[in-house]
Amino acid sequence: MRFYLDTEFNGHGGELISLALVSPEGPEFYAAKTIDPPADPWALQHVFTVIGIRPENTLRPLIFKSHFQQFIVRFPEAEIIADWHGDLVHFLQLLQGPTFDSTLSYQCTLKIINTPDGEPVSEIPHNALADARALMKWYEAQSMERKSNV
């Protein structure tokens, strides 16, 4: 199974706000965490306005992590593709527990790809789900093009 990953976070290097995983085979995960103020001004203007999840439907951090882990364990040895290393940092942090024994042992392949400036084009920029779908669409099209040129 291959998943495309995108996250939104509270300022550069900040706390995870939302995470999306989408697959060309159909499964998707999208959730947003409850963020206690203060939020980064950029995130307030560009992320929270397009998050698409009502504040009362956001998840407390431990519930968010639990939902994510319940989803991802259904797809052992997945390939996770992202276009920003920070997205993978957040993904990996969601696997880690407070102790070694509580850490989710999940085998996967992580891949960071480079995208040209202005690509991929998201229908809703800074919405993790729309951005992950755009990344998937762009990368899958690039893969098809590479295959047809061989």
Side-chain angles (χ1 to χ4, degrees), residues 3 5 7 16 19-21 29-31 33 59 61-75 80 87-88 90-96 104 106 108:
F3 283 102
L5 169 68
T7 66
L16 179 67
L19 180 143
L21 287 165
F29 174 86
Y30 180 55
K33 281 177 44 182
L59 304 173
L62 290 177
I63 295 171
F64 182 98
K65 180 184 271 193
S66 174
H67 284 216
F68 165 80
Q69 289 183 356
Q70 288 172 25
F71 174 83
I72 200 66
V73 297
R74 296 177 17 221
F75 308 100
I80 311 298
D87 295 334
L88 292 172
H90 287 293
F91 176 89
L92 293 170
Q93 286 174 336
L94 288 170
L95 301 176
Q96 186 170 327
L104 179 62
Y106 179 72
C108 62

Side-chain angles (χ1 to χ4, degrees), residues 1 6 10 13 15 17 35 37 56 70 82 89 97 100 102-103 106 113 119-123 125 133 136 146:
M1 180 72 67
D6 192 73
N10 198 11
E15 179 182 6
I17 296 171
I35 301 294
E56 63 270 18
Q70 288 172 25
V89 168
F100 182 80
S102 65
T103 295
Y106 179 72
I113 61 171
E119 292 289 345
V121 178
S122 177
E123 289 183 20
R133 287 175 176 162
M136 177 179 66
R146 283 190 296 274

